[in-house]
Every structure is written in structure tokens, then in C-alpha cells.
Amino acid sequence: MIKKMLNDLTKGYRFKQALQDDGLSIIAEIKRRSPSAGILKSDLDISQLVCDYRDGGASCLSVLTNETLFGGSDKDLREVARISELPILRKDFLTNFQDIEASQVMGADAVLLIVSEIEPVKLKSMHELALKLKMDVVTEIRHSEEFELAIQAGAYMIMVNQRNQPKSQSFSVDYDKALKMRYLFNGYDEIIKIAGSGINMTGGTNIAKLNAVGYDAALIGEALLTSADPKANLCSLLKQASESA
């Protein structure tokens, strides 16, 4: 009953819709720096980057709004929403109902809710509020133990974050985590499966492997932002994924 209600509620929502095409989709990220790598793109031109991502074949965009850790801001998301036709995820450490409401005002099509950052009862209530405000929800898990909590909250798009401590200055990533945790989704074919962090970095997770085991999308930031040509890099990643099908 709950699954049917969620399917009805989310039918037609832009972010989820964009990730339902055949093959692996890419959620391309816009952020200025990371706690471990520092400044990623000192001359970041949001307008140009949005065009590169669109023309490179991105299905959705992810925008960091946390200033302290990632150099982002509400202004960045508003600007992306103004100029982009692609669905936008507000990627931040959202912990209260005001954060959800503010995301809608900024122009987000979806919000990120992190299981480890929010108490289970509140997680479900925040999830329901986002749906009520016509926004999709991406629920992030970092450990297998969090999968059931995500399901109980009503998750229908789950992202496995391969980075162990996103707020840490040490870049601690298990590049095989998404592959190892893929079994959790068995029997949940209706859930959109997303992998994030460390994808196609040097020595990182190969995007073709994610596609081969049935992930629907990969969220990629640093590998695109640090490349000389984000558009060409994105085209290449999508080609790699399609060739593994």
C-alpha cells in the first residue's frame, strides 16, 4: 500500500523521471571545492558548466549549497535553476523541515536526505513534506545497515555514498562499496539505484561496472570538475557505460 502511494505521488516528478530512461544516467555535480581536495575549479563559470553538462548528456544536476565545506550557496542553486532545464538536486546536509521548504523556494526539483544525519521518525516526516511540496527525494545511505531505515522512511531513490565521512578532510572512499551493496536492492526493482563518490576518479569506481550490475545512475562531481573538458569527459563516461550494456 505504501509503495503504491509513493509511486502515485511521485509519478511525473521531474528528477525521478529523468533517471528512468534505459541505461545508466549521470547526475553531474556543481561544487567549488571539497574538504579533502580543496578548490576544484577556481574559475567556475556556472552558466558554461551547465551548458557543458547539458550538451554532454547529463540527465540531472546536483548543486552543493553548503558554503563551509563545499564553497556553495543558495545563490548557486538559484542561478542554476534560472538557466537550466535539467532537474536539480539540492545536495546538502538537510536536517529540518525549514531546509526542505527553503529548497523548494530555491528552485530544487529534489532534495538529498542522509539517513545518518536524521533521526528515523524525522526522516520519514521530511520525506513526506518534500513530496507534498512536489519535490523528489534522494535518500543517501553509507552502510548496509541504513538500507532498511531508508525503506521505512519511504525511499524510492537510494544513493550509496562510497565516501565514508563526507565532512572529513581525509578522502576515505571504498571504491567497491556500491558494487558490494548492490545485493541490498534485490527484490526492490522499483527503487532508483544511484552510486556516488569516487566514480571514474584515478583508480576509482569504473562506471561500466556500475551499469553492468544494474545501477540506474551515477552522481559524479570531482572527475568532471577537474577535467579540462567536462563536456567531452561526460560524453566519454556515457559511452563507456553504454558499451557495457
Side-chain angles (χ1 to χ4, degrees):
M1 181 67 180
I2 292 176
K3 287 181 181 179
K4 181 182 184 304
M5 180 183 72
L6 285 170
N7 284 336
D8 289 343
L9 280 170
T10 56
K11 194 176 295 181
Y13 280 36
R14 276 170 30 93
F15 198 90
K16 179 187 178 185
Q17 267 196 331
L19 301 182
Q20 289 182 311
D21 292 338
D22 291 339
L24 186 138
S25 302
I26 290 182
I27 305 166
E29 191 154 86
I30 296 172
K31 64 180 177 183
R32 300 176 184 277
R33 64 170 183 262
S34 78
S36 57
I39 296 174
L40 298 174
K41 205 171 187 67
S42 58
D43 58 345
L44 191 149
D45 180 330
I46 285 183
S47 180
Q48 182 59 54
L49 191 58
V50 166
C51 288
D52 286 342
Y53 284 167
R54 178 200 65 204
D55 296 343
S59 296
C60 300
L61 302 177
S62 167
V63 181
L64 273 294
T65 57
N66 182 289
E67 181 176 3
T68 304
L69 296 171
F70 302 101
S73 67
D74 299 359
K75 181 181 178 182
D76 284 347
L77 197 149
R78 291 176 189 273
E79 177 65 8
V80 173
R82 185 184 68 82
I83 62 178
S84 174
E85 296 179 357
L86 295 177
I88 304 164
L89 169 71
R90 183 187 180 193
K91 193 159 177 272
D92 207 331
F93 299 95
L94 311 181
T95 58
N96 57 59
F97 302 113
Q98 290 76 22
D99 290 337
I100 302 297
E101 293 166 349
S103 301
Q104 183 202 41
V105 173
M106 290 175 206
D109 297 285
V111 292
L112 180 73
L113 296 183
I114 304 171
V115 170
S116 63
E117 298 284 333
I118 309 167
E119 293 182 3
V121 174
K122 195 173 183 181
L123 179 67
K124 181 175 177 61
S125 297
M126 290 175 68
H127 190 284
E128 291 171 347
L129 175 60
L131 292 176
K132 183 178 179 181
L133 295 176
K134 306 302 182 185
M135 289 184 294
D136 273 313
V137 179
V138 175
T139 308
E140 177 186 303
I141 62 173
R142 299 177 199 158
H143 310 287
S144 58
E145 295 80 5
E146 296 174 344
F147 183 81
E148 188 57 37
L149 292 174
I151 295 298
Q152 290 172 7
Y156 59 95
M157 289 192 288
I158 296 180
M159 180 171 75
V160 176
N161 188 342
Q162 301 193 122
R163 185 164 181 173
N164 298 315
Q165 296 293 334
K167 296 179 181 179
S168 173
Q169 291 186 356
S170 79
F171 192 69
S172 175
V173 179
D174 179 353
Y175 293 122
D176 293 322
K177 185 191 288 188
L179 298 174
K180 289 185 291 189
M181 289 174 62
R182 170 62 180 84
Y183 76 94
L184 293 168
F185 297 94
N186 292 342
Y188 291 94
D189 294 341
E190 75 280 6
I191 291 179
I192 300 291
K193 300 170 284 296
I194 306 170
S197 292
I199 298 167
N200 271 73
M201 299 284 291
T202 302
T205 310
N206 186 289
I207 195 169
K209 290 184 178 180
L210 293 174
N211 187 49
V213 299
Y215 273 89
D216 299 293
L219 190 149
I220 304 178
E222 195 165 329
L224 294 174
L225 288 159
T226 56
S227 67
D229 189 339
K231 174 184 171 182
N233 194 348
L234 189 48
C235 288
S236 176
L237 290 175
L238 288 167
K239 183 179 179 182
Q240 289 177 43
S242 66
E243 289 175 347
S244 69

